Amino acid sequence: MFDWNDLKPFLAVARGGSTLAASRALGVNQTTVARRVEALEAALDLKLFDRGQTGSRLTEAGRDLLVQAEQVERTAETFASRAAAHRRGLAGAVRLTATEIIANTTLMPALAEFRRLYPDVQVDLLISDKTLDLHAGEADVAIRSGAVLTDSDLIARKLHDYDFALYCSRDYAARRGAPATLEELARHDLIGGDAELAGWAGMVWLFEKAGGATPAARSNTMGNLYHAVKAGLGIAPLATLLGDGDRSLVRCSDVIPEASGSSWLVTRKELRDTPRMRAFIDFLVPHFQGQMRQMEAAARAIREEATVEA
């Protein structure tokens, strides 16, 4: 078996073209380099270099093994880098939970950029409209939405305020007309909520205004609700930054005060100041907020454009 340390002189001679150049690159004397290369050749029972007055040239076997040696070098460098990251606490996994609609509209670009900055931190994205239990370890950090946060033991940073209004698709409006008043809702197809979405304030408000009408369809996630409205299944509450920003949708109401709320990034106290979590939070919060401002500005411009056309 050859000595792993002899790969360094081999690589240095191959790149420098001579034992003298290799000795300068490695900071050792030329005799040591020559002896280590000869030891590697003896252990492998292969001639790796043709030696001459002008230097050392790789043999056919040497050229082939150079590729493998460079792979070993890259693996060793990655190993050292990850070990250093672990010493700094900037390695390991962060398990983030968010709803599908937030994940698809705002998180994916952020996570791609974060990975470029912190390649040794693995981000596991758990997409669910269900509220995962951070205390039980179901996730490390969550983006949660609502009028208030109910768990005071968690550390939270506010991300964004948002409003909701009623929307239908342009196709639905062409077929059925858009309701001019809330009293007309009972005569329209309404998309209700299932599971946790059924008790959401915006959904409760809608069916109270419609006099307890029977839903034409139900959705159990905000993402599915948005696509159900786009498909023309009926009318439902959507976030204004999504609804106003989608030219295929028609707004059917003013902002619904009961449905307004905020989003927060939350985590457990004991995780907040771990290096990888601190890096993740400090990166994600401004990125998320900046993307929300861009979406709001785009939605506002589209709504103003639609108002002028009307």
Side-chain angles (χ1 to χ4, degrees), residues 36-54:
R36 298 320 307 166
V37 171
E38 290 170 0
L40 179 62
E41 289 179 321
L44 298 175
D45 194 21
L46 285 172
K47 187 178 182 182
L48 301 176
F49 294 99
D50 287 322
R51 298 164 177 83
Q53 291 184 344
T54 58

Side-chain angles (χ1 to χ4, degrees), residues 25-148:
L26 296 176
V28 298
N29 64 61
Q30 186 177 6
T31 302
T32 299
V33 172
R35 186 173 67 252
R36 298 320 307 166
V37 171
E38 290 170 0
L40 179 62
E41 289 179 321
L44 298 175
D45 194 21
L46 285 172
K47 187 178 182 182
L48 301 176
F49 294 99
D50 287 322
R51 298 164 177 83
Q53 291 184 344
T54 58
S56 300
R57 293 190 308 164
L58 287 166
T59 63
E60 181 179 354
R63 287 193 299 272
D64 178 63
L65 291 175
L66 175 64
V67 176
Q68 308 303 318
E70 288 175 333
Q71 289 180 359
V72 173
E73 180 184 47
R74 286 192 295 271
T75 300
E77 289 172 349
T78 300
F79 181 90
S81 174
R82 288 189 65 85
H86 276 288
R87 288 195 300 272
R88 298 191 306 270
L90 286 172
V94 172
R95 291 172 299 159
L96 168 67
T97 180
T99 64
E100 180 182 13
I101 201 160
I102 288 177
N104 291 338
T105 57
T106 60
L107 286 182
M108 290 307 179
L111 297 185
E113 177 62 21
F114 180 79
R115 282 287 294 165
R116 284 190 286 271
L117 294 172
Y118 299 96
D120 295 311
V121 179
Q122 173 186 324
V123 180
D124 297 330
L125 182 56
L126 311 173
I127 297 177
S128 175
D129 275 25
K130 179 184 176 183
T131 301
L132 299 186
D133 189 341
L134 300 190
H135 289 301
E138 292 183 341
D140 300 323
V141 61
I143 295 178
R144 290 185 176 170
S145 302
V148 295

Side-chain angles (χ1 to χ4, degrees), residues 11 34 41 43 47 80 89 102 110 134 137 143 155 186 194 209 211 252-253 283 292-294 296 301 304 307:
L11 286 167
E41 289 179 321
K47 187 178 182 182
I102 288 177
L134 300 190
I143 295 178
I155 301 299
D194 200 6
K209 296 301 180 183
C252 304
S253 76
F283 170 84
M292 288 292 100
R293 287 192 293 269
Q294 291 178 16
E296 279 192 331
E304 290 171 356
T307 302

Side-chain angles (χ1 to χ4, degrees), residues 90-263:
L90 286 172
V94 172
R95 291 172 299 159
L96 168 67
T97 180
T99 64
E100 180 182 13
I101 201 160
I102 288 177
N104 291 338
T105 57
T106 60
L107 286 182
M108 290 307 179
L111 297 185
E113 177 62 21
F114 180 79
R115 282 287 294 165
R116 284 190 286 271
L117 294 172
Y118 299 96
D120 295 311
V121 179
Q122 173 186 324
V123 180
D124 297 330
L125 182 56
L126 311 173
I127 297 177
S128 175
D129 275 25
K130 179 184 176 183
T131 301
L132 299 186
D133 189 341
L134 300 190
H135 289 301
E138 292 183 341
D140 300 323
V141 61
I143 295 178
R144 290 185 176 170
S145 302
V148 295
L149 281 180
T150 56
D151 195 333
S152 60
D153 290 337
L154 297 174
I155 301 299
R157 286 182 64 173
K158 191 174 183 179
L159 295 173
H160 192 69
D161 296 320
Y162 52 86
D163 293 318
F164 282 81
L166 296 181
Y167 294 87
C168 68
S169 69
R170 292 193 178 278
D171 173 68
Y172 179 92
R175 290 185 288 107
R176 300 285 304 277
T181 65
L182 296 179
E183 287 71 23
E184 294 180 16
L185 286 174
R187 300 195 295 272
H188 281 269
D189 292 338
L190 307 179
I191 305 172
D194 200 6
E196 291 189 353
L197 198 56
W200 170 54
M203 198 64 72
V204 172
W205 178 90
L206 170 62
F207 284 90
E208 284 180 351
K209 296 301 180 183
T214 302
R218 286 189 172 89
S219 294
N220 68 343
T221 70
M222 281 291 186
N224 182 256
L225 185 67
Y226 170 64
H227 287 289
V229 173
K230 281 178 66 70
L233 289 177
I235 299 169
L238 297 176
T240 55
L241 61 84
L242 284 178
D244 288 352
D246 191 328
R247 288 185 171 86
S248 72
L249 301 183
V250 176
R251 194 199 270 205
C252 304
S253 76
D254 294 329
V255 167
I256 305 168
E258 291 85 345
S260 296
S262 304
S263 57

